[in-house]
Amino acid sequence: MLKILTAALCATLCFSGLAEAQDRKRLGYGRLITNDFFGDGEDRWRTGGFQSSRVWGPTWDGAAPTGFGQLLELRLSAEILAPDDIRTPDPGDRPYAGALSAGLHTHFSRGPMEYSVGGDIVFLGPQTRLDELQDAFHDTFNISTPSDAVRDAQVGNDVLPNVVAEAGRSFAIGESTSLRPFVEARAGVETLVRVGVDFTYGAFGQGELLVRDGVSGQRYDVVQSDWTGFSFVMGADIARVADSEFLPASSGVSPQDTRERLRAGVMWRSETGVSGFYGVTYLGEEFEGQDEGQIVGAIRWRVPF
């Protein structure tokens, strides 16, 4: 049923607004890199990820259009998850997993509410070659590489659908501060419902399109406005988890029922358009037997040519 739902959603997004397709143009691009090396310096669990977005639409006037499917986002992502010790993991630690995904999402607004809805196709397992990529990268920098036993026990090959939906509303608190409660639902690779809040001090996000990173919860700008200077962000959310394909029953590891995230970051943009972002996110325990949370860092830079 989920595969049918995802296919129907993608088809709806692809064919909605075809009458206006000739007027659709590229509006922006954004990306975010996450890695625990930029956070607590460990090489474990949610150890590395990348997410990028390319957006097309008829126009951008500082807010998402009201029509479903008018603004389309092509979203690409990759993620590696690993046990605490990638050479000889303890029994009960999470299995190694690699995931690659591609999907189509739409952003729209109705009154003060902002919505994002989309579907992805996710490739899991050795077929992604992410274990080989990590092995080569670690070998180049003389870092411990995943053992053959860890790679052999990784989550197996699969192709799965994933549906993501978010609704939020921004509240201005003075001229330079905003608060944005949101709710998010995911079904497929990980099935959960999440509620949270984003806090921004500065102009980041004003008149811009922001997309949320799936790992850290940090938001990155895809359609930018012309503000300059510094902005500071904070946020928190909690999720109720029903299932995770990253923790299959065959691994003997069960997901925690709840999952928490706390995050903060700083965004800087110059008058020439050069910009940079650095943020950290605390990820609470995700599986039974995990003895502590972790801190992952997130970076993004932009140099216009």
Side-chain angles (χ1 to χ4, degrees):
M1 177 62 71
L2 182 58
K3 291 184 179 180
I4 296 175
L5 177 60
T6 304
L9 177 60
C10 288
T12 301
L13 292 174
C14 288
F15 290 104
S16 63
L18 280 183
E20 317 153 58
Q22 65 274 16
D23 298 325
R24 189 173 283 132
K25 59 184 179 181
R26 177 168 163 168
L27 299 177
Y29 167 74
R31 64 188 179 276
L32 196 71
I33 298 172
T34 57
N35 199 292
D36 55 353
F37 176 77
F38 308 131
D40 55 23
E42 304 287 347
D43 188 20
R44 58 181 182 173
W45 303 328
R46 296 272 181 174
T47 183
F50 173 79
Q51 184 172 298
S52 70
S53 303
R54 292 161 178 81
V55 173
W56 291 266
T59 187
W60 179 262
D61 59 4
T66 59
F68 179 91
Q70 284 185 305
L71 190 150
L72 297 178
E73 174 204 348
L74 172 63
R75 186 178 300 176
L76 306 174
S77 65
E79 184 182 3
I80 295 174
L81 303 92
D84 188 2
D85 186 336
I86 59 175
R87 297 300 301 174
T88 55
D90 293 333
D93 206 342
R94 75 179 311 150
Y96 190 99
L100 285 174
S101 71
L104 200 60
H105 299 251
T106 185
H107 301 262
F108 58 100
S109 59
R110 299 288 168 84
M113 295 296 298
E114 304 164 349
Y115 299 94
S116 173
V117 181
D120 306 272
I121 299 299
V122 185
F123 299 85
L124 297 178
Q127 64 183 338
T128 65
R129 303 292 182 90
L130 289 174
D131 56 341
E132 297 179 13
L133 178 64
Q134 186 184 38
D135 189 80
F137 181 83
H138 280 206
D139 189 57
T140 299
F141 292 94
N142 198 29
I143 305 172
S144 295
T145 59
S147 66
D148 290 341
V150 167
R151 291 172 63 177
D152 290 344
Q154 69 180 289
V155 174
N157 289 336
D158 207 346
V159 180
L160 299 168
N162 201 56
V163 175
V164 184
E166 178 178 320
R169 179 177 177 179
S170 295
F171 295 89
I173 306 174
E175 294 184 1
S176 58
T177 305
S178 65
L179 193 69
R180 184 181 184 272
F182 72 92
V183 59
E184 178 192 65
R186 291 176 172 264
V189 176
E190 293 199 296
T191 301
L192 55 84
V193 176
R194 174 179 283 130
V195 294
V197 63
D198 299 304
F199 174 86
T200 304
Y201 178 77
F204 178 64
Q206 295 182 14
E208 302 182 314
L209 176 65
L210 304 183
V211 173
R212 190 177 305 279
D213 173 62
V215 176
S216 65
Q218 301 279 8
R219 296 194 297 165
Y220 56 93
D221 51 329
V222 180
V223 181
Q224 294 86 22
S225 62
D226 57 1
W227 70 272
T228 60
F230 286 89
S231 287
F232 302 90
V233 297
M234 293 188 295
D237 55 61
I238 185 169
R240 180 70 176 181
V241 182
D243 188 36
S244 174
E245 296 296 333
F246 294 133
L247 300 167
S250 60
S251 70
V253 183
S254 302
Q256 291 271 21
D257 291 337
T258 59
R259 186 182 297 176
E260 308 86 24
R261 299 187 301 197
L262 297 171
R263 55 189 170 272
V266 58
M267 177 76 181
W268 167 79
R269 186 179 296 157
S270 73
E271 294 182 356
T272 61
V274 177
S275 63
F277 173 83
Y278 173 72
V280 292
T281 299
Y282 169 78
L283 304 177
E285 294 88 345
E286 293 192 0
F287 60 91
E288 301 290 343
Q290 186 177 355
D291 57 0
E292 62 179 344
Q294 68 178 125
I295 297 176
V296 298
I299 60 172
R300 191 269 170 94
W301 64 91
R302 180 172 181 265
V303 180
F305 294 99

